[in-house]
Amino acid sequence: MLLINIAGLALIALIVWWFWLYKPKEAELGESDLVITVENGTYSPSRIKVPTGEPVEIKFIRKDQSPCSETLLIPELQISDTLPLNKLKTIQLPALAAGEYAFHCQMQMYRGQITVK
């Protein structure tokens, strides 16, 4: 009985860490090409830094066959695009004001964030 309780507490701790405490790595859009991979239910990297006031291109490659991973939405910028399977797709972003812009699939299962500084 004690072993079951300990396992249950460990599982609860893992869930809390995964959904509320885990912060994915941040990548900065720089001189090298940054490609966001859509695979295994995630965007990788899922947090991107871009400069303020400059139009930028973000490239995606979708390796996940899930229908949910096919659509990319950036609601604050009114961008909705389809990501083809195993092909590079470039998304043009206008010059942005400082702030945070979420991007996700249509069901918000895949999530990411663009930080403009």
Side-chain angles (χ1 to χ4, degrees):
M1 183 87 155
L2 179 63
L3 186 60
I4 293 172
N5 288 337
I6 291 172
L9 288 173
L11 184 59
I12 290 169
L14 178 65
I15 291 170
V16 167
W17 174 79
W18 180 259
F19 286 102
W20 292 288
L21 301 177
Y22 173 71
K23 296 289 183 204
K25 249 189 341 186
E26 231 174 19
E28 194 161 339
L29 189 65
E31 294 178 20
S32 63
D33 279 343
L34 175 67
V35 177
I36 298 171
T37 304
V38 184
E39 187 174 35
N40 299 325
T42 64
Y43 293 116
S44 181
S46 61
R47 299 169 60 86
I48 302 126
K49 283 186 185 177
V50 300
T52 305
E54 296 178 28
V56 295
E57 291 182 347
I58 298 179
K59 297 176 182 166
F60 287 82
I61 186 159
R62 179 178 144 235
K63 296 182 178 181
D64 199 328
Q65 293 185 13
S66 164
C68 188
S69 67
E70 185 176 25
T71 303
L72 172 71
L73 300 170
I74 309 175
E76 290 93 346
L77 305 177
Q78 296 162 354
I79 293 175
S80 175
D81 216 330
T82 301
L83 303 176
L85 187 60
N86 294 318
K87 292 185 181 171
L88 204 59
K89 174 75 174 193
T90 301
I91 305 296
Q92 304 284 333
L93 300 180
L96 299 171
E100 295 180 345
Y101 302 84
F103 62 94
H104 52 79
C105 69
Q106 66 221 19
M107 295 175 65
Q108 297 188 27
M109 294 172 66
Y110 298 74
R111 294 188 215 184
Q113 180 177 322
I114 300 165
T115 302
V116 183
K117 288 187 177 183

